[in-house]
Amino acid sequence: MSSARPVIGITTYLEPIRSGIWDLPAAYLPETYLRSVIDAGGIAVLLPPQPVDAEVAAATIASLDGLLVTGGYDVDPARYGQPAGAHTDAPRDDRDDWEDALLTAAIAAELPFLGICRGLQLLNVHQGGTLLQHLPDALDGDTRYSGDAGVFAINEAAPVDGSRIAGLYEGAASVDVRSYHHQAVDRLGDGLRVTAVSAGAGATEQVVQAIELEGDAFGVAVQWHPEQIGDLRVFRGLVDAAAEHRRARSARG
């Protein structure tokens, strides 16, 4: 008998890791992502960057009930037609290529997906949008979203009425969030809608905090890090949508 718990593929880093006497490249991810998926009712499966083509991506997506595109280093600005700014991370082409291909396959298959931080930015670029490469440059030096030496900043986001985010947060006028980003959506990508913006004292309202793919499928992305405070609401949204996708696929045979 197959498990009723949906299988959620989670993208990872591929970086040098030191553990005891070993210092090797490894796929890794903060445990908070895994714990959030598991606590929300899903089965977590890691998806490390790897050589990819459309067939590989489609086969990977076909094995999953949902997809989580996680946070990490900046998306290569060449993907949206810009040179890299002084504050932009060195490109991680392996991860950009892999996650972009997974998003293409997931959208084609109407597979539920959730993007977090970098995941939101990659979704926007995937859909033809652009990014502000260093948000403080656009906000008169304001670093309220950037965090400090591994400490996540505390901010507020205001969900847009009628959006999936508003539904997941039960119509709350604002949500306390944890931020660690120096980039943000600039031009919105095709087929996307803004579903939360900055809120609270001193907030700059044009900073996009959540987006979603238009249509019936669950395609949601947030700029904040709910996994850092055990906020399971967006993870439950993904897992519930993935469970429904699994049931519908089983019914089709």
Side-chain angles (χ1 to χ4, degrees), residues 85-112:
H87 300 280
T88 299
D89 296 327
R92 301 304 203 277
D93 290 336
D94 60 343
R95 189 170 178 190
D96 286 350
D97 290 345
W98 175 234
E99 293 180 351
D100 186 76
L102 290 178
L103 277 175
T104 296
I107 292 170
E110 297 187 336
L111 187 85

Side-chain angles (χ1 to χ4, degrees), residues 100-185:
D100 186 76
L102 290 178
L103 277 175
T104 296
I107 292 170
E110 297 187 336
L111 187 85
F113 67 85
L114 170 65
I116 291 179
C117 198
R118 166 193 158 90
L120 175 146
Q121 295 167 6
L122 185 71
L123 173 61
N124 191 58
V125 172
H126 178 275
Q127 294 296 110
T130 63
L131 303 177
L132 296 167
Q133 287 193 51
H134 192 56
L135 193 50
D137 290 345
L139 301 179
D140 297 323
D142 188 348
T143 60
R144 65 183 291 119
Y145 305 104
S146 304
D148 181 31
V151 177
F152 286 76
I154 301 173
N155 286 291
E156 292 180 59
V160 174
D161 289 345
S163 66
R164 289 188 185 273
I165 285 292
L168 293 174
Y169 285 90
E170 300 180 329
S174 67
V175 178
D176 290 334
V177 299
R178 297 299 181 270
S179 305
Y180 207 96
H181 63 99
H182 78 110
Q183 299 194 337
V185 169

Side-chain angles (χ1 to χ4, degrees), residues 159-170 193 195 211-220 234 237 241:
V160 174
D161 289 345
S163 66
R164 289 188 185 273
I165 285 292
L168 293 174
Y169 285 90
E170 300 180 329
R193 62 181 295 222
T195 56
I211 58 177
E212 62 187 55
L213 193 67
E214 294 177 341
D216 294 333
F218 186 97
V220 172
V234 292

Side-chain angles (χ1 to χ4, degrees), residues 3 33-34 63 73 124 159 168 188 219-220 231 243 250:
S3 171
Y33 288 106
L34 311 181
S63 72
Y73 294 109
N124 191 58
L168 293 174
L188 190 65
V220 172
D231 181 356
S250 295

